[in-house]
Amino acid sequence: MKSICLFICVLSFQLMAGSLNWQRKADLLMPVQEIYPAVFQGEIYVAGGLSSELPKQQGQMTAQVQIYNPKTNTWRYGPALPEGRHHGQLVAVNDQLFLFGGFIQANGGNWSASADVLQLDLDQQRWLKVASLPAPLSETVSWVLDHKVHLISGRSPATKANAQWHDQADVATHWIFDPKLLKTEVAPALPEAKNSAAAVVFNEAGYLVGGRQVKGGNKAGVHSFNPKNQQWAAQKAMPEAQAGLAAAVLNQQLWVFGGEFFQQGGGVFHKVWSYSAADNNWQQQGEMPVPRHGLGAVALDDAIYVIGGATAAGLKQTSAVLERVIIK
């Protein structure tokens, strides 16, 4: 009976996916949300994050770094961050791994935006502070172009206060970090200030997808940045306004997963969308078997890995789910 049940469960899991083949993989060691995973040396790294499963006295955040090996389908803990941190931007570039900004416990609050640039020292097996951003920045997203890290959008302190979430304001920030010089320069600002977007490199340009404005709600807008002429351009908007989503590029298509909304009691987006530049069109590609927001997505070994997040809007029902998505 157990084998029959397992077969039916797996079959129903795959039928929900539409044109995608969803494979459930080993759960995270710790459920986390508001994460920005990175592929580093053939493995998936998840640094810090929030979790409804963690104590409120520690801000429900973690300093743990979780590493997934796709060959063995196993997770392990790596060198922990110096302190608990969430909404920090993890980026692999030039065989180096950096973490930019995010929120930490400081100034009497759990949402103090940080200007730290941390780097994983592989020899010492610990994280070192190697630079500071021009200002504290959190809920930002990134892409790597020409071996440099672009940090785009997010939230920064609106006043001298920097302790709680409401102390921050949406920004149109666009900075370029040079991993060799460990310096940051200002680049053309994005067309609108927002946070909780997703970012990918697509067709040799940087794409910024969705996001939200605190006073304006979720956004469906998509903008691309051309590194050659240093200009932004509006692209075809998503069919739905989404924030807290994740994106990845595979098979010459841009894929979007999850996100949250707060109208009518709030909820989590189920639909999976793909965008093709060839016909400038968005198309629904089934639904997520486990819809989530505050999740991560990375492309690795001809598949997309969808990681963590939460199954309800806000800091509730944090998930440890890891799925491998194969394009049929």
Side-chain angles (χ1 to χ4, degrees), residues 53-65:
E53 308 304 306
L54 292 174
K56 291 185 178 180
Q57 58 265 32
Q58 69 180 63
Q60 293 183 283
M61 68 183 79
T62 180
Q64 293 289 355
V65 173

Side-chain angles (χ1 to χ4, degrees), residues 156-161 166-169:
S156 288
T159 65
K160 292 183 179 180
H166 56 70
D167 294 330
Q168 320 295 328

Side-chain angles (χ1 to χ4, degrees), residues 188-320:
L190 61 142
E192 60 180 355
K194 57 183 175 179
N195 71 84
S196 300
V200 295
V201 174
F202 185 53
N203 289 339
E204 300 182 347
Y207 272 64
L208 184 67
V209 183
R212 77 165 62 94
Q213 294 175 335
V214 172
K215 295 183 179 180
N218 285 358
K219 297 293 181 179
V222 177
H223 291 88
S224 64
F225 179 76
N226 186 328
K228 296 180 180 179
N229 60 21
Q230 296 284 294
Q231 292 184 352
W232 288 92
Q235 302 295 335
K236 187 170 184 179
M238 291 189 297
E240 293 182 311
Q242 296 178 218
L245 68 168
V249 172
L250 188 67
N251 292 357
Q252 299 182 335
Q253 288 182 294
L254 192 165
W255 299 84
V256 171
F257 305 90
E260 65 184 334
F261 59 93
F262 296 102
Q263 300 90 345
Q264 299 177 343
V268 179
F269 289 105
H270 294 64
K271 298 176 182 177
V272 177
W273 299 98
S274 70
Y275 171 76
S276 170
D279 54 11
N280 189 32
N281 187 46
W282 287 92
Q283 181 178 356
Q284 184 184 347
Q285 302 282 359
E287 297 186 348
M288 298 178 66
V290 185
R292 312 190 295 284
H293 77 92
L295 70 172
V298 297
L300 176 63
D301 297 333
D302 298 321
I304 297 174
Y305 288 81
V306 181
I307 309 152
T311 58
L315 182 49
K316 296 180 291 185
Q317 299 180 26
T318 308
S319 173

